[in-house]
Amino acid sequence: MSSDEQYDPRAIQDKWQARWAELDPFKAASEDGREHRYALDMFPYPSGDLHMGHAEAYSIGDVVARYWLQKGYNVLHPVGWDSFGLPAENAAIKRDSHPAEWTYANIETQAASFRRFAPSFDWSRRLHTSDPEYYRWTQWLFLRFYERGLAYRKGGQVNWCPNDQTVLANEQVVGGHCERCGALVQKRVLTQWYFKITEYADRLLDDMAQLEGKWPERVLLMQRNWIGRSTGADVSFVIEGRDEPVTVYTTRPDTLYGATFMVVAADAALADEICAPEQRAAFEAYRDEVARESDIERLSTEREKTGVFLGRYAVNPVNGERIPVWTSDYVLAEYGHGAIMAVPAHDQRDLDFAHKFGLPVRVVVETGQADPAETGVATAGEGRVVNSGPIDGLAKADAIARITEILEGKGLGRAAVNFRLRDWLVSRQRFWGCPIPIIHCEACGEVPVPDDQLPVRLPDGLRGADLAPKGTSPLAAAESWVNVECPKCSGPARRDSDTMDTFVDSSWYYFRYCSPGYTDGPFDVEAVRKWMPVDQYTGGVEHAILHLLYSRFFTKVLHDMGMVDFTEPFDRMLNQGQVILDGKAMSKTLGNMVDLGQQIAEHGVDVVRLAMLFSGPPEDDIDWADVSPHGMAKFLSRVHRVVEDVASPPGTDPSRGSVDLRRVTHRTLADATTLIESQRFNVAISRVMELQKATRAAIDSGPGAADPAVREAAEVITVLLSLFAPYTAEEAWEILGRTAPVATAGLPAADPALLVRESVTCVVQIAGKVRDRLEVAPDISETDLESLALASPKIVEALGGAGIRKIIVRAPKIVNIVPQP
Ligand code: ANZ
Ligand code: ZN
C-alpha cells in the first residue's frame, strides 16, 4: 500500500474478514506441548441481533483470549448459543411458525455479526443447546442425576392464570398479574421435577474458599446469601390438644424466655390442621389472600403486618408458659419448619406484629437501649440475658450454647442448621425446551428412557397455535408422541410431557466445548481434563447467582460421578459493567438504545471495540454519551501513519536503535503485560497511545524513520493493538511487511536492561556533614525522599536517638537534617 493511502476502517474489515476465514487462526490445537488456556464468554441467547451489551462483553473476553494467544498459549475460546427458551415459543405462536425457525434465523444473524465483530472464536466448536446432538446429553445427564436420587418429583407451586387456564413462567408474571391477559395470578400445586441441589448446599458454600480473590467479591457474597446457611436451634413446643409437639427453628434460642406468641405460616398444613372451628372462616379468607402474594412481598419489612389468631395455645418448653398461636404471611411455609416462636422485644417483624395485635412484649436481653415496647424498635444487639432463669447474666454466645445444652438434655430441642437454598425446580410446561427423558407407566411407575433411545426428540408437526399453553405442557397434546410402550413391561405408557428449565442446558455447555462432536458421552473426559477448569469466565453480573450456582452444582455432581477431577468449573470470573446512555441502562421502553450495527457502520468495528475498552475498567458501566469514537478513530489513523513511515526493513536488529525510544517501547511492553493480567485494559491502551506518540516524535524530531528502534516500536504497538483493534493491527502488520495473522505473532519479551530507570545520587547530611548517599529516581517526590533518608540505617545510627529540629529536602539531590541541640 502506498504511503499516501488513507486509513479506511471499512475497507480493511472486508479485506481481513475474508483472509481470516481462510487462515482460521483461532482453532484450539490438540495436544502440542504448549500451555493451555480456556477463555469462556457467557454464550448468547439468540434474541434478534447482537447489541451494545454483547459488543462490550465480547470485546472484554476477547482481550483476554488474544493476550493468551500472543503469549504463545494453546487457547480455547469457543462460541455457541443458548437456544431453547420462551421468547422463541412466543414468536412462533404469534407468527404461526415453529420456534426453530425464529431461533436458527436469529443465530445466523448473530453469527454473521460476530464474524464481523471478530472475536477470536474457534468456530469449529460451535454448539446450540436446542440441537438434538446437544440435548441428547442434557437428557443423559438428567438420567444420571435421576439414578443418584438427585432428580425427583414432588408437588410444587406454579403460577397459574385462571383466565388463560395455564401455567405461567416467572417472567410472564408482571406485578402479580398475567402478562397476557392481566388476570390476577394464582398459585397452583402441580407435580414437578426437582434437582436436589440442597444436598450440595454445604459444599457449594465451603468450596467458595477456592474462589476467594479470583471471583468478584460481590458475586461470592450473592452466592453466599442465596445459599443462606444459618445456625441456631430447633425447639419443640407442645400445642394444647395435639399429641405431636411442633418444632420451630430459631437463630436466637437465647431469647426463648422472651417468646410471647407463636406464628404459623398461613399456607402451612399445620395452620389448617390446628385452626379452632370458631376461627376457621377468618383463617380461610386470610389464607386465600396470602396465596396471591409473592415471597418478596411476604418478607418485606415495609408492609403493615397482617394475621389471624388460630384459637389455640402452645406451651413454652422452658417455663411452661401458655402463648397464643397466630398465623401470618411473614412466616414462610417452606423455610425451617414453617412456624416460629415470636420474640417481639428482639425481632422487628415480631414486634410490628405484636403492636398491630396488642400482644405482650418481654425484654430478655439487656442491651442498654430503650424499651422496645415503647420505642417500637426491637433490640437485636449484644447484651446480658435477663428474666430467663438458668441463663440469666450470660452473654449471647454463651446463652445460646447453654440453652441448647439444656434443651438437648431434656429432649426438647437441638442445635440446627438451615439453608435458604431450595431444591431447583427444573420442569417447565413449555414446548421449546429439552424433553424430560422419563416414561410414566401405570404398572412400573417412572421408567427412565434407556440411554440407547436418546435423544427423546421434540415431536414434529406442532407449530403456531399448537404451542399455546393449554393447562398442561403443549407436548401433552402430541398424542402420537406421548403414547409409547413402557420400556420395562411393554404395556401402554406416556412420556413425561414437561421440558427442562433452560438453566439446565447452560449448566454444562462449557464441558461440551472441550470435545464438541463427542458421541460416547456429554464430553470426552480426557479433553476436559486437558482444558478445564475454565481459566477465565466473562459475562454479566445478572447471572451471578443462578447460572453460576447451577454450574457449580453440576460440576460437583460430575466430580462425584468420577467424570471430572476438580470441583469448581471457573477459576476466574470477570463481570463486565452495563452499557448505559445518559446514566440509564439502555432499554427499549426508555428509548435510549444505541444500535450496534449503526455504530459499526459509522465508525468501524475497531473503533467501537476500542471505545468500549478505553472508557474505563471493564467492570464499570459505560455511558455511551461519554465515549469518544472520534478520538479512537484518530488514534488508529495515527498508528496507521506511524507504521507507514517506518523506513527500515523487517528483521532489522533493533539493538543499534535509539536507546531513548527503546526504553519507552520496553517499558510499555512490561507494563502492558501487568496491566492486562490485572484487567486494567483501559490503562494498557493509554500506554500504547503514549508509545505511539513517542514513536511519532522519534520519526519527526528524533533519530528519524529509518532508526531500527522506530520499527521495533511500531511492531510492538501493532502486536499490542491486536488485542483491542484486530483489523487495524492486521493491516498495520501487513504494511510493516510481516505475515498475517498478527494475532499469533507473539509478544516480544521486555529487555530487563532497558527497564532500568536512570538514577541519581542523593547526598544525606546531618548538620552539614555527609552521612550517606542514596541512589534514587530522578523524579522522586520530596516526601518519598525524606522518608527514604530517615529510614537509612547510617542516618539512624548517626542521629543516635537525637530528635530532629528541621529537615531541608531538595529532591532529588540533597537532604539536610538539623538535629535537636
Ligand atoms: C426467634 C427469634 C428471636 C428470631 C430473635 C430472630 C431474632 P435466618 O437467619 O434467616 O435463618 N424464622 C424461622 N423460620 C421462619 C420462617 N419459616 N419464616 C420466616 N421467619 C422464620 O432467620 C431465622 C429466624 O427467622 C428465626 O429466629 C425465626 O425468628 C425466623 F430475637 O426465632 B427467630
Ligand atoms: Zn411398565
PDB file of all heavy atoms in Angstrom, residues 228 230-231 249-252 255 299 330-343 346-347 349-350 379 418 420, ligand 1:
ATOM      1  N   GLY A 228     -27.479 -19.093  51.913  1.00  0.00           N
ATOM      2  CA  GLY A 228     -28.025 -18.674  53.204  1.00  0.00           C
ATOM      3  C   GLY A 228     -27.937 -19.710  54.313  1.00  0.00           C
ATOM      4  O   GLY A 228     -28.955 -20.159  54.819  1.00  0.00           O
ATOM      5  N   SER A 230     -27.723 -20.740  57.954  1.00  0.00           N
ATOM      6  CA  SER A 230     -27.916 -20.094  59.249  1.00  0.00           C
ATOM      7  C   SER A 230     -27.870 -21.165  60.333  1.00  0.00           C
ATOM      8  O   SER A 230     -28.271 -22.299  60.116  1.00  0.00           O
ATOM      9  CB  SER A 230     -29.219 -19.283  59.248  1.00  0.00           C
ATOM     10  OG  SER A 230     -30.217 -19.862  60.040  1.00  0.00           O
ATOM     11  N   THR A 231     -27.330 -20.782  61.484  1.00  0.00           N
ATOM     12  CA  THR A 231     -27.217 -21.757  62.558  1.00  0.00           C
ATOM     13  C   THR A 231     -28.018 -21.288  63.763  1.00  0.00           C
ATOM     14  O   THR A 231     -28.117 -20.097  64.027  1.00  0.00           O
ATOM     15  CB  THR A 231     -25.750 -21.945  63.007  1.00  0.00           C
ATOM     16  OG1 THR A 231     -25.229 -20.658  63.314  1.00  0.00           O
ATOM     17  CG2 THR A 231     -24.916 -22.577  61.936  1.00  0.00           C
ATOM     18  N   TYR A 249     -37.829 -23.301  64.299  1.00  0.00           N
ATOM     19  CA  TYR A 249     -36.407 -23.045  64.118  1.00  0.00           C
ATOM     20  C   TYR A 249     -36.121 -21.611  64.546  1.00  0.00           C
ATOM     21  O   TYR A 249     -36.834 -20.682  64.173  1.00  0.00           O
ATOM     22  CB  TYR A 249     -36.004 -23.226  62.654  1.00  0.00           C
ATOM     23  CG  TYR A 249     -34.588 -22.783  62.397  1.00  0.00           C
ATOM     24  CD1 TYR A 249     -33.510 -23.486  62.957  1.00  0.00           C
ATOM     25  CD2 TYR A 249     -34.314 -21.649  61.650  1.00  0.00           C
ATOM     26  CE1 TYR A 249     -32.213 -23.066  62.763  1.00  0.00           C
ATOM     27  CE2 TYR A 249     -33.006 -21.213  61.443  1.00  0.00           C
ATOM     28  CZ  TYR A 249     -31.971 -21.937  62.007  1.00  0.00           C
ATOM     29  OH  TYR A 249     -30.668 -21.516  61.823  1.00  0.00           O
ATOM     30  N   THR A 250     -35.075 -21.447  65.354  1.00  0.00           N
ATOM     31  CA  THR A 250     -34.695 -20.103  65.776  1.00  0.00           C
ATOM     32  C   THR A 250     -33.189 -19.925  65.735  1.00  0.00           C
ATOM     33  O   THR A 250     -32.438 -20.847  66.052  1.00  0.00           O
ATOM     34  CB  THR A 250     -35.219 -19.774  67.188  1.00  0.00           C
ATOM     35  OG1 THR A 250     -34.714 -18.482  67.569  1.00  0.00           O
ATOM     36  CG2 THR A 250     -34.767 -20.803  68.224  1.00  0.00           C
ATOM     37  N   THR A 251     -32.767 -18.737  65.329  1.00  0.00           N
ATOM     38  CA  THR A 251     -31.336 -18.414  65.387  1.00  0.00           C
ATOM     39  C   THR A 251     -30.997 -17.833  66.759  1.00  0.00           C
ATOM     40  O   THR A 251     -29.837 -17.611  67.056  1.00  0.00           O
ATOM     41  CB  THR A 251     -30.976 -17.370  64.310  1.00  0.00           C
ATOM     42  OG1 THR A 251     -31.952 -16.328  64.344  1.00  0.00           O
ATOM     43  CG2 THR A 251     -30.963 -17.989  62.938  1.00  0.00           C
ATOM     44  N   ARG A 252     -32.046 -17.573  67.555  1.00  0.00           N
ATOM     45  CA  ARG A 252     -31.827 -16.935  68.852  1.00  0.00           C
ATOM     46  C   ARG A 252     -32.447 -17.732  70.007  1.00  0.00           C
ATOM     47  O   ARG A 252     -33.327 -17.226  70.721  1.00  0.00           O
ATOM     48  CB  ARG A 252     -32.417 -15.524  68.838  1.00  0.00           C
ATOM     49  CG  ARG A 252     -31.768 -14.536  67.867  1.00  0.00           C
ATOM     50  CD  ARG A 252     -30.366 -14.119  68.259  1.00  0.00           C
ATOM     51  NE  ARG A 252     -30.266 -13.610  69.625  1.00  0.00           N
ATOM     52  CZ  ARG A 252     -30.449 -12.333  69.969  1.00  0.00           C
ATOM     53  NH1 ARG A 252     -30.734 -11.430  69.051  1.00  0.00           N
ATOM     54  NH2 ARG A 252     -30.345 -11.952  71.230  1.00  0.00           N
ATOM     55  N   THR A 255     -33.182 -16.255  73.379  1.00  0.00           N
ATOM     56  CA  THR A 255     -34.333 -15.392  73.681  1.00  0.00           C
ATOM     57  C   THR A 255     -35.605 -16.197  73.965  1.00  0.00           C
ATOM     58  O   THR A 255     -36.704 -15.653  73.974  1.00  0.00           O
ATOM     59  CB  THR A 255     -34.621 -14.421  72.515  1.00  0.00           C
ATOM     60  OG1 THR A 255     -34.990 -15.188  71.357  1.00  0.00           O
ATOM     61  CG2 THR A 255     -33.415 -13.553  72.174  1.00  0.00           C
ATOM     62  N   LEU A 299     -41.940 -11.106  52.661  1.00  0.00           N
ATOM     63  CA  LEU A 299     -40.804 -10.842  53.550  1.00  0.00           C
ATOM     64  C   LEU A 299     -40.509  -9.349  53.694  1.00  0.00           C
ATOM     65  O   LEU A 299     -39.648  -8.962  54.473  1.00  0.00           O
ATOM     66  CB  LEU A 299     -39.567 -11.572  53.032  1.00  0.00           C
ATOM     67  CG  LEU A 299     -39.645 -13.095  53.174  1.00  0.00           C
ATOM     68  CD1 LEU A 299     -38.464 -13.758  52.491  1.00  0.00           C
ATOM     69  CD2 LEU A 299     -39.709 -13.503  54.644  1.00  0.00           C
ATOM     70  N   TYR A 330     -45.826 -13.418  57.098  1.00  0.00           N
ATOM     71  CA  TYR A 330     -44.383 -13.153  57.181  1.00  0.00           C
ATOM     72  C   TYR A 330     -43.577 -14.375  57.585  1.00  0.00           C
ATOM     73  O   TYR A 330     -42.357 -14.391  57.480  1.00  0.00           O
ATOM     74  CB  TYR A 330     -44.063 -11.934  58.064  1.00  0.00           C
ATOM     75  CG  TYR A 330     -44.108 -12.124  59.571  1.00  0.00           C
ATOM     76  CD1 TYR A 330     -42.955 -12.428  60.288  1.00  0.00           C
ATOM     77  CD2 TYR A 330     -45.293 -11.959  60.270  1.00  0.00           C
ATOM     78  CE1 TYR A 330     -42.975 -12.561  61.666  1.00  0.00           C
ATOM     79  CE2 TYR A 330     -45.329 -12.096  61.656  1.00  0.00           C
ATOM     80  CZ  TYR A 330     -44.164 -12.404  62.353  1.00  0.00           C
ATOM     81  OH  TYR A 330     -44.199 -12.544  63.725  1.00  0.00           O
ATOM     82  N   VAL A 331     -44.272 -15.421  58.004  1.00  0.00           N
ATOM     83  CA  VAL A 331     -43.611 -16.709  58.208  1.00  0.00           C
ATOM     84  C   VAL A 331     -43.857 -17.528  56.942  1.00  0.00           C
ATOM     85  O   VAL A 331     -44.989 -17.606  56.464  1.00  0.00           O
ATOM     86  CB  VAL A 331     -44.153 -17.421  59.455  1.00  0.00           C
ATOM     87  CG1 VAL A 331     -43.563 -18.822  59.580  1.00  0.00           C
ATOM     88  CG2 VAL A 331     -43.826 -16.599  60.691  1.00  0.00           C
ATOM     89  N   LEU A 332     -42.775 -18.097  56.402  1.00  0.00           N
ATOM     90  CA  LEU A 332     -42.883 -18.846  55.154  1.00  0.00           C
ATOM     91  C   LEU A 332     -43.010 -20.340  55.442  1.00  0.00           C
ATOM     92  O   LEU A 332     -42.301 -20.883  56.299  1.00  0.00           O
ATOM     93  CB  LEU A 332     -41.643 -18.622  54.288  1.00  0.00           C
ATOM     94  CG  LEU A 332     -41.350 -17.168  53.910  1.00  0.00           C
ATOM     95  CD1 LEU A 332     -40.060 -17.080  53.098  1.00  0.00           C
ATOM     96  CD2 LEU A 332     -42.518 -16.568  53.125  1.00  0.00           C
ATOM     97  N   ALA A 333     -43.903 -20.999  54.700  1.00  0.00           N
ATOM     98  CA  ALA A 333     -44.135 -22.427  54.923  1.00  0.00           C
ATOM     99  C   ALA A 333     -42.906 -23.260  54.595  1.00  0.00           C
ATOM    100  O   ALA A 333     -42.657 -24.301  55.194  1.00  0.00           O
ATOM    101  CB  ALA A 333     -45.326 -22.887  54.084  1.00  0.00           C
ATOM    102  N   GLU A 334     -42.116 -22.759  53.630  1.00  0.00           N
ATOM    103  CA  GLU A 334     -41.035 -23.588  53.093  1.00  0.00           C
ATOM    104  C   GLU A 334     -39.711 -23.442  53.844  1.00  0.00           C
ATOM    105  O   GLU A 334     -38.738 -24.096  53.510  1.00  0.00           O
ATOM    106  CB  GLU A 334     -40.784 -23.205  51.636  1.00  0.00           C
ATOM    107  CG  GLU A 334     -42.030 -23.222  50.782  1.00  0.00           C
ATOM    108  CD  GLU A 334     -42.229 -24.559  50.093  1.00  0.00           C
ATOM    109  OE1 GLU A 334     -41.335 -24.957  49.340  1.00  0.00           O
ATOM    110  OE2 GLU A 334     -43.260 -25.207  50.337  1.00  0.00           O
ATOM    111  N   TYR A 335     -39.634 -22.526  54.787  1.00  0.00           N
ATOM    112  CA  TYR A 335     -38.362 -22.314  55.482  1.00  0.00           C
ATOM    113  C   TYR A 335     -38.449 -22.880  56.891  1.00  0.00           C
ATOM    114  O   TYR A 335     -39.507 -22.799  57.534  1.00  0.00           O
ATOM    115  CB  TYR A 335     -38.026 -20.824  55.532  1.00  0.00           C
ATOM    116  CG  TYR A 335     -36.630 -20.555  56.055  1.00  0.00           C
ATOM    117  CD1 TYR A 335     -35.514 -20.974  55.334  1.00  0.00           C
ATOM    118  CD2 TYR A 335     -36.428 -19.931  57.275  1.00  0.00           C
ATOM    119  CE1 TYR A 335     -34.235 -20.755  55.815  1.00  0.00           C
ATOM    120  CE2 TYR A 335     -35.144 -19.703  57.770  1.00  0.00           C
ATOM    121  CZ  TYR A 335     -34.047 -20.122  57.027  1.00  0.00           C
ATOM    122  OH  TYR A 335     -32.780 -19.916  57.509  1.00  0.00           O
ATOM    123  N   GLY A 336     -37.339 -23.435  57.365  1.00  0.00           N
ATOM    124  CA  GLY A 336     -37.321 -24.007  58.718  1.00  0.00           C
ATOM    125  C   GLY A 336     -38.446 -25.020  58.841  1.00  0.00           C
ATOM    126  O   GLY A 336     -38.536 -25.954  58.058  1.00  0.00           O
ATOM    127  N   HIS A 337     -39.334 -24.795  59.817  1.00  0.00           N
ATOM    128  CA  HIS A 337     -40.465 -25.711  59.982  1.00  0.00           C
ATOM    129  C   HIS A 337     -41.791 -25.019  59.708  1.00  0.00           C
ATOM    130  O   HIS A 337     -42.850 -25.531  60.057  1.00  0.00           O
ATOM    131  CB  HIS A 337     -40.444 -26.300  61.386  1.00  0.00           C
ATOM    132  CG  HIS A 337     -39.146 -26.979  61.701  1.00  0.00           C
ATOM    133  ND1 HIS A 337     -38.834 -28.241  61.234  1.00  0.00           N
ATOM    134  CD2 HIS A 337     -38.057 -26.547  62.373  1.00  0.00           C
ATOM    135  CE1 HIS A 337     -37.609 -28.558  61.630  1.00  0.00           C
ATOM    136  NE2 HIS A 337     -37.114 -27.541  62.326  1.00  0.00           N
ATOM    137  N   GLY A 338     -41.730 -23.831  59.126  1.00  0.00           N
ATOM    138  CA  GLY A 338     -42.969 -23.133  58.776  1.00  0.00           C
ATOM    139  C   GLY A 338     -43.694 -22.563  59.976  1.00  0.00           C
ATOM    140  O   GLY A 338     -44.850 -22.156  59.874  1.00  0.00           O
ATOM    141  N   ALA A 339     -43.000 -22.540  61.123  1.00  0.00           N
ATOM    142  CA  ALA A 339     -43.604 -21.964  62.338  1.00  0.00           C
ATOM    143  C   ALA A 339     -42.484 -21.347  63.161  1.00  0.00           C
ATOM    144  O   ALA A 339     -41.352 -21.827  63.124  1.00  0.00           O
ATOM    145  CB  ALA A 339     -44.304 -23.047  63.145  1.00  0.00           C
ATOM    146  N   ILE A 340     -42.787 -20.276  63.873  1.00  0.00           N
ATOM    147  CA  ILE A 340     -41.751 -19.621  64.680  1.00  0.00           C
ATOM    148  C   ILE A 340     -42.238 -19.348  66.101  1.00  0.00           C
ATOM    149  O   ILE A 340     -43.441 -19.274  66.363  1.00  0.00           O
ATOM    150  CB  ILE A 340     -41.308 -18.269  64.069  1.00  0.00           C
ATOM    151  CG1 ILE A 340     -42.465 -17.245  64.091  1.00  0.00           C
ATOM    152  CG2 ILE A 340     -40.795 -18.450  62.660  1.00  0.00           C
ATOM    153  CD1 ILE A 340     -41.983 -15.809  64.017  1.00  0.00           C
ATOM    154  N   MET A 341     -41.259 -19.199  66.996  1.00  0.00           N
ATOM    155  CA  MET A 341     -41.578 -18.599  68.286  1.00  0.00           C
ATOM    156  C   MET A 341     -41.316 -17.106  68.092  1.00  0.00           C
ATOM    157  O   MET A 341     -40.302 -16.708  67.521  1.00  0.00           O
ATOM    158  CB  MET A 341     -40.680 -19.171  69.391  1.00  0.00           C
ATOM    159  CG  MET A 341     -39.204 -18.863  69.240  1.00  0.00           C
ATOM    160  SD  MET A 341     -38.284 -19.509  70.646  1.00  0.00           S
ATOM    161  CE  MET A 341     -36.871 -18.410  70.709  1.00  0.00           C
ATOM    162  N   ALA A 342     -42.277 -16.270  68.483  1.00  0.00           N
ATOM    163  CA  ALA A 342     -42.125 -14.839  68.252  1.00  0.00           C
ATOM    164  C   ALA A 342     -41.569 -14.183  69.503  1.00  0.00           C
ATOM    165  O   ALA A 342     -42.087 -14.378  70.611  1.00  0.00           O
ATOM    166  CB  ALA A 342     -43.464 -14.221  67.882  1.00  0.00           C
ATOM    167  N   VAL A 343     -40.480 -13.423  69.309  1.00  0.00           N
ATOM    168  CA  VAL A 343     -39.842 -12.715  70.421  1.00  0.00           C
ATOM    169  C   VAL A 343     -39.852 -11.229  70.081  1.00  0.00           C
ATOM    170  O   VAL A 343     -38.880 -10.692  69.560  1.00  0.00           O
ATOM    171  CB  VAL A 343     -38.393 -13.218  70.633  1.00  0.00           C
ATOM    172  CG1 VAL A 343     -37.781 -12.552  71.867  1.00  0.00           C
ATOM    173  CG2 VAL A 343     -38.349 -14.736  70.753  1.00  0.00           C
ATOM    174  N   HIS A 346     -37.011  -8.549  70.593  1.00  0.00           N
ATOM    175  CA  HIS A 346     -35.715  -8.636  69.922  1.00  0.00           C
ATOM    176  C   HIS A 346     -35.789  -8.979  68.441  1.00  0.00           C
ATOM    177  O   HIS A 346     -34.769  -9.247  67.821  1.00  0.00           O
ATOM    178  CB  HIS A 346     -34.828  -9.624  70.686  1.00  0.00           C
ATOM    179  CG  HIS A 346     -34.741  -9.290  72.144  1.00  0.00           C
ATOM    180  ND1 HIS A 346     -34.196  -8.110  72.593  1.00  0.00           N
ATOM    181  CD2 HIS A 346     -35.208  -9.940  73.248  1.00  0.00           C
ATOM    182  CE1 HIS A 346     -34.300  -8.047  73.927  1.00  0.00           C
ATOM    183  NE2 HIS A 346     -34.921  -9.145  74.340  1.00  0.00           N
ATOM    184  N   ASP A 347     -36.972  -9.018  67.895  1.00  0.00           N
ATOM    185  CA  ASP A 347     -37.123  -9.260  66.453  1.00  0.00           C
ATOM    186  C   ASP A 347     -38.140  -8.257  65.921  1.00  0.00           C
ATOM    187  O   ASP A 347     -39.279  -8.206  66.389  1.00  0.00           O
ATOM    188  CB  ASP A 347     -37.594 -10.698  66.207  1.00  0.00           C
ATOM    189  CG  ASP A 347     -37.703 -11.014  64.716  1.00  0.00           C
ATOM    190  OD1 ASP A 347     -38.452 -10.311  63.990  1.00  0.00           O
ATOM    191  OD2 ASP A 347     -37.041 -11.972  64.270  1.00  0.00           O
ATOM    192  N   ARG A 349     -39.839  -7.915  63.115  1.00  0.00           N
ATOM    193  CA  ARG A 349     -41.090  -8.374  62.490  1.00  0.00           C
ATOM    194  C   ARG A 349     -42.091  -8.782  63.565  1.00  0.00           C
ATOM    195  O   ARG A 349     -43.278  -8.469  63.503  1.00  0.00           O
ATOM    196  CB  ARG A 349     -40.809  -9.569  61.565  1.00  0.00           C
ATOM    197  CG  ARG A 349     -39.872  -9.251  60.423  1.00  0.00           C
ATOM    198  CD  ARG A 349     -39.238 -10.506  59.843  1.00  0.00           C
ATOM    199  NE  ARG A 349     -38.445 -11.232  60.843  1.00  0.00           N
ATOM    200  CZ  ARG A 349     -37.803 -12.376  60.613  1.00  0.00           C
ATOM    201  NH1 ARG A 349     -37.894 -12.941  59.426  1.00  0.00           N
ATOM    202  NH2 ARG A 349     -37.099 -12.963  61.552  1.00  0.00           N
ATOM    203  N   ASP A 350     -41.556  -9.477  64.577  1.00  0.00           N
ATOM    204  CA  ASP A 350     -42.429  -9.917  65.663  1.00  0.00           C
ATOM    205  C   ASP A 350     -42.966  -8.716  66.450  1.00  0.00           C
ATOM    206  O   ASP A 350     -44.120  -8.711  66.885  1.00  0.00           O
ATOM    207  CB  ASP A 350     -41.661 -10.840  66.622  1.00  0.00           C
ATOM    208  CG  ASP A 350     -41.188 -12.123  65.945  1.00  0.00           C
ATOM    209  OD1 ASP A 350     -41.704 -12.433  64.847  1.00  0.00           O
ATOM    210  OD2 ASP A 350     -40.312 -12.808  66.515  1.00  0.00           O
ATOM    211  N   THR A 379     -34.593  -4.624  69.918  1.00  0.00           N
ATOM    212  CA  THR A 379     -33.162  -4.538  70.211  1.00  0.00           C
ATOM    213  C   THR A 379     -32.510  -5.875  69.891  1.00  0.00           C
ATOM    214  O   THR A 379     -32.700  -6.865  70.587  1.00  0.00           O
ATOM    215  CB  THR A 379     -32.917  -4.154  71.682  1.00  0.00           C
ATOM    216  OG1 THR A 379     -33.570  -5.111  72.522  1.00  0.00           O
ATOM    217  CG2 THR A 379     -33.477  -2.772  71.985  1.00  0.00           C
ATOM    218  N   ASN A 418     -29.900 -24.314  59.023  1.00  0.00           N
ATOM    219  CA  ASN A 418     -30.902 -24.158  57.967  1.00  0.00           C
ATOM    220  C   ASN A 418     -30.304 -23.450  56.777  1.00  0.00           C
ATOM    221  O   ASN A 418     -29.391 -22.649  56.920  1.00  0.00           O
ATOM    222  CB  ASN A 418     -32.080 -23.329  58.479  1.00  0.00           C
ATOM    223  CG  ASN A 418     -33.246 -24.210  58.826  1.00  0.00           C
ATOM    224  OD1 ASN A 418     -33.933 -24.723  57.945  1.00  0.00           O
ATOM    225  ND2 ASN A 418     -33.459 -24.409  60.109  1.00  0.00           N
ATOM    226  N   ARG A 420     -31.264 -21.265  53.188  1.00  0.00           N
ATOM    227  CA  ARG A 420     -32.270 -20.560  52.417  1.00  0.00           C
ATOM    228  C   ARG A 420     -32.475 -21.258  51.066  1.00  0.00           C
ATOM    229  O   ARG A 420     -33.544 -21.216  50.483  1.00  0.00           O
ATOM    230  CB  ARG A 420     -31.790 -19.119  52.195  1.00  0.00           C
ATOM    231  CG  ARG A 420     -32.873 -18.149  51.914  1.00  0.00           C
ATOM    232  CD  ARG A 420     -32.576 -16.773  52.483  1.00  0.00           C
ATOM    233  NE  ARG A 420     -32.804 -16.710  53.918  1.00  0.00           N
ATOM    234  CZ  ARG A 420     -34.007 -16.731  54.486  1.00  0.00           C
ATOM    235  NH1 ARG A 420     -35.096 -16.834  53.768  1.00  0.00           N
ATOM    236  NH2 ARG A 420     -34.130 -16.687  55.799  1.00  0.00           N
TER     237      ARG A 420
HETATM  238  C1  ANZ B   1     -36.822 -16.269  67.458  1.00  0.00           C
HETATM  239  C2  ANZ B   1     -36.042 -15.073  67.243  1.00  0.00           C
HETATM  240  C3  ANZ B   1     -35.692 -14.081  68.147  1.00  0.00           C
HETATM  241  C4  ANZ B   1     -35.579 -14.978  65.936  1.00  0.00           C
HETATM  242  C5  ANZ B   1     -34.927 -13.047  67.728  1.00  0.00           C
HETATM  243  C6  ANZ B   1     -34.817 -13.969  65.466  1.00  0.00           C
HETATM  244  C7  ANZ B   1     -34.487 -12.966  66.376  1.00  0.00           C
HETATM  245  P1  ANZ B   1     -32.435 -16.823  59.321  1.00  0.00           P
HETATM  246  O1  ANZ B   1     -31.254 -16.064  59.787  1.00  0.00           O
HETATM  247  O2  ANZ B   1     -32.969 -16.303  58.025  1.00  0.00           O
HETATM  248  O3  ANZ B   1     -32.254 -18.296  59.325  1.00  0.00           O
HETATM  249  N1  ANZ B   1     -37.893 -17.759  61.159  1.00  0.00           N
HETATM  250  C8  ANZ B   1     -37.734 -19.089  61.332  1.00  0.00           C
HETATM  251  N2  ANZ B   1     -38.466 -19.777  60.441  1.00  0.00           N
HETATM  252  C9  ANZ B   1     -39.074 -18.852  59.683  1.00  0.00           C
HETATM  253  C10 ANZ B   1     -39.949 -18.936  58.586  1.00  0.00           C
HETATM  254  N3  ANZ B   1     -40.375 -20.113  58.121  1.00  0.00           N
HETATM  255  N4  ANZ B   1     -40.395 -17.789  58.031  1.00  0.00           N
HETATM  256  C11 ANZ B   1     -39.984 -16.593  58.496  1.00  0.00           C
HETATM  257  N5  ANZ B   1     -39.165 -16.450  59.535  1.00  0.00           N
HETATM  258  C12 ANZ B   1     -38.703 -17.566  60.127  1.00  0.00           C
HETATM  259  O4  ANZ B   1     -33.626 -16.440  60.331  1.00  0.00           O
HETATM  260  C13 ANZ B   1     -34.112 -17.346  61.240  1.00  0.00           C
HETATM  261  C14 ANZ B   1     -35.051 -16.586  62.141  1.00  0.00           C
HETATM  262  O5  ANZ B   1     -36.168 -16.195  61.348  1.00  0.00           O
HETATM  263  C15 ANZ B   1     -35.558 -17.428  63.274  1.00  0.00           C
HETATM  264  O6  ANZ B   1     -35.056 -16.979  64.516  1.00  0.00           O
HETATM  265  C16 ANZ B   1     -37.027 -17.059  63.306  1.00  0.00           C
HETATM  266  O7  ANZ B   1     -37.094 -15.981  64.204  1.00  0.00           O
HETATM  267  C17 ANZ B   1     -37.356 -16.639  61.945  1.00  0.00           C
HETATM  268  F1  ANZ B   1     -34.593 -12.080  68.595  1.00  0.00           F
HETATM  269  O8  ANZ B   1     -36.643 -17.046  66.275  1.00  0.00           O
HETATM  270  B1  ANZ B   1     -36.080 -16.227  65.194  1.00  0.00           B
END
